[in-house]
Every structure is written in C-alpha cells, then in structure tokens.
Amino acid sequence: MSKSQLAILKYKLVFKVVSGALAGKKYSIDEPAVINIGRGSDCMIRITKEMDPVVSRHHCRLDIVPPKAELTDLGSSNGSFINDMRLDPNNKYELKSGDTFKVGDNVFSVEIKSVRSEAETKPPSE
C-alpha cells in the first residue's frame, strides 16, 4: 500500500502595525483566537498609556476563525475605526484583506492569506 498526499487549504491572518507606537510589529494568526487590544494588563495586544494615551483599558476585540476576522469596539472612549469609519460600540464588523483598522494612533493593516499544506493519507485497507 502506498501513501498519497492530500492538499489542505489553510488560512493565515496577518495584522501589521503601519503607524503609531507599535509601528513595525506584526501579528500572524492561523487558528481560532480571541484577541483583546487595549492598555489593560490582560490584553494580548497591549498599548500602554505611555505609548498612546487615548487607548482604553479594553479598547476592542478581534474574533478570529480563519479566514474570517471580526473587530468589535468594546465601548472605548475614543472609538475604533475600520477604513476611517467609526464603529458602533459592541457590534461586530468583518475585516477583509486590504482593510485597515485604527486603535488610538495605531493603524493595523489586514492581510488574509491562503496557505496550502500537504497531509499524508493512507489508502483504504483491503
């Protein structure tokens, strides 16, 4: 019996900070995740008050299930923005490849990539 290769299509979401205190940072996610952004010590992407004084403790949240990503403003004082549009608090907004979102003075670019991977499969038993 021989093994064969099966191509599996996976997705990777890449968020690059293009301006602001975190400029140059890049975050890559290829599995489901919930990412809180803010100045709180419990935030996965932390932007301290010293880095950007207009970012709230719990500013916004990314809900990621590749290839889909949604951004929710968590009632922040200064708002979150997608492509310069202010988000209504506590509503989910889907992000698309090529979008930008803004948290304080930090602007993140969004890229959704498809990645092919190979998995070995065994033929059915005879």
Side-chain angles (χ1 to χ4, degrees), residues 41-56:
S41 60
D42 58 338
C43 291
M44 189 175 284
I45 298 177
R46 190 165 182 227
I47 305 169
T48 64
K49 190 173 189 171
E50 295 74 30
M51 296 166 109
D52 192 335
V54 301
V55 174
S56 296

Side-chain angles (χ1 to χ4, degrees), residues 1 3 11 13 15 23 26 41 54 56 61 69 84 94 101 107 110 114 117 123:
M1 288 190 263
K3 294 180 182 178
Y11 293 93
L13 289 83
F15 304 99
K26 183 167 97 170
S41 60
V54 301
S56 296
R61 181 183 65 235
D84 296 323
E94 188 170 351
F101 66 92
V107 177
V110 178
S114 59
S117 66

Side-chain angles (χ1 to χ4, degrees), residues 54-97:
V54 301
V55 174
S56 296
R57 189 162 27 106
H58 294 114
H59 199 97
C60 60
R61 181 183 65 235
L62 285 167
D63 291 289
I64 300 168
V65 179
K68 188 174 179 180
E70 295 175 319
L71 183 69
T72 305
D73 181 85
L74 298 174
S76 65
S77 300
N78 295 295
S80 301
F81 299 80
I82 296 177
N83 302 326
D84 296 323
M85 179 192 77
R86 188 177 180 135
L87 307 183
D88 291 328
N90 302 308
N91 288 325
K92 290 183 177 186
Y93 293 84
E94 188 170 351
L95 294 167
K96 306 268 191 244
S97 201

Side-chain angles (χ1 to χ4, degrees), residues 22-36:
L22 297 179
K25 292 221 180 241
K26 183 167 97 170
Y27 304 91
S28 296
I29 298 107
D30 62 1
E31 56 189 45
V34 174
I35 298 172
N36 289 315

Side-chain angles (χ1 to χ4, degrees), residues 101-121:
F101 66 92
K102 187 174 178 184
V103 179
D105 289 328
N106 294 275
V107 177
F108 294 74
S109 67
V110 178
E111 186 178 1
I112 302 170
K113 300 177 176 184
S114 59
V115 181
R116 291 179 70 89
S117 66
E118 305 262 329
E120 283 191 3
T121 60

